[in-house]
Amino acid sequence: MEVSTVSPSPASPTEGDDLCDIDVTDVAVDSVTLLICLCGLAGNGAVLCLLQRNPATCYIINLAFASFSFLHFAVPSTLLYLLEELSCSTIVPLVFLRALFPLLLFSYNLGLYLLTAISIERCTSILCPLWYRCRRPQRLSWVVCALLWALSITVIVTMTALCHSKEHEHCQMSLITMYALNLFFFAPAMVISSTILFIKVKCISQQQQPKRLNIVIFLVVLFFLLFALPLSLCNFLQQLGYITVPSQVVFLLTCIHSTINPFIYFLVGGCRRPCSVGSLRLSLQRVFEEPEENTAHSGDPAMDTAFPAC
């Protein structure tokens, strides 16, 4: 199984009696990656602990868990590779990489699927406010999250089973199919729904200040396209035989995306210094539990929505 497509490339061991030649660039990139991952674990952990569990926050909690899981698996991988580069010796066993690779891809795919669902649902709440408020099933968020979890598990289990077989072509085809699904189905759906949401909110915002949640979703999607989507794109091209950017850079960008989401929530929610547990919880409530009276006086019914309202 090709493990370098999602995790940093290990340092090459020294040959003969040559002195250890440390690549300063690789060490710097892995050090920054490790620091960003630790910050992301703290941020996503804060979201998981402080955000109230209800249908309105179902997607965000699952998204925070997916990001936390990705960073949780990225930390030991990056740390071991950093130790390899500093010691010029092989530390990471191949069996560890084979076990870590599907876990990283699972959490990455789950975050992509959830973010697509968030964009589509928020777009629906703007375009079809009456259906969204009156006829939308109360447990729709939980059902969608469960289906996306099942899809993520199915994709990874299938890919892992094929890559553990003796047929290299089957493994390569499963990876190409998985990355193609991300690039040509989920990513376009996310972009289209987010673009519609942005245009609609921009028109409405000429009369009233846009809701914080709309700003958060747009920023999260934007940063995903800039930082996380390159992983699927580069790995897809790599499986087709094209030369892409170094895997360490792509891995760093993905870690940045998994880290930055909680800080977007807190900043848009209006967290001010000094940041305490109470202020962080209040900033999350301002974004994801925005009261109805903020939009009750709006003349446009599209603004009189919640996400989700049940």
Side-chain angles (χ1 to χ4, degrees), residues 170-191:
H170 293 170
C171 178
Q172 185 179 26
M173 184 56 62
S174 66
L175 289 171
I176 292 176
T177 303
M178 180 183 64
Y179 294 131
L181 182 67
N182 294 346
L183 290 172
F184 304 118
F185 180 77
F186 285 100
M190 182 194 310
V191 172

Side-chain angles (χ1 to χ4, degrees), residues 114-191:
L114 288 168
L115 191 52
T116 303
I118 293 172
S119 303
I120 293 176
E121 179 155 337
R122 190 56 183 170
C123 181
T124 303
S125 72
I126 296 294
L127 296 179
C128 307
L130 294 180
W131 175 89
Y132 189 84
R133 291 176 61 84
C134 302
R135 298 193 176 185
R136 176 183 178 276
Q138 294 185 357
R139 299 186 180 275
L140 180 61
S141 301
W142 303 107
V143 173
V144 172
C145 286
L147 292 176
L148 294 180
W149 271 83
L151 175 61
S152 302
I153 294 174
T154 301
V155 169
I156 294 303
V157 168
T158 303
M159 183 270 297
T160 303
L162 292 175
C163 288
H164 281 171
S165 65
K166 301 296 184 179
E167 298 293 336
H168 173 72
E169 293 78 8
H170 293 170
C171 178
Q172 185 179 26
M173 184 56 62
S174 66
L175 289 171
I176 292 176
T177 303
M178 180 183 64
Y179 294 131
L181 182 67
N182 294 346
L183 290 172
F184 304 118
F185 180 77
F186 285 100
M190 182 194 310
V191 172

Side-chain angles (χ1 to χ4, degrees), residues 42-93:
N44 286 285
V47 173
L48 291 173
C49 293
L50 299 178
L51 194 59
Q52 183 179 358
R53 271 70 171 170
N54 55 52
T57 59
C58 175
Y59 289 120
I60 301 301
I61 289 176
N62 280 271
L63 181 61
F65 179 81
S67 299
F68 185 90
S69 299
F70 182 87
L71 296 171
H72 174 74
F73 298 127
V75 166
S77 173
T78 306
L79 181 60
L80 289 174
Y81 281 129
L82 183 59
L83 292 176
E84 280 191 352
E85 290 159 358
L86 293 176
S87 63
C88 295
S89 61
T90 302
I91 298 177
V92 184

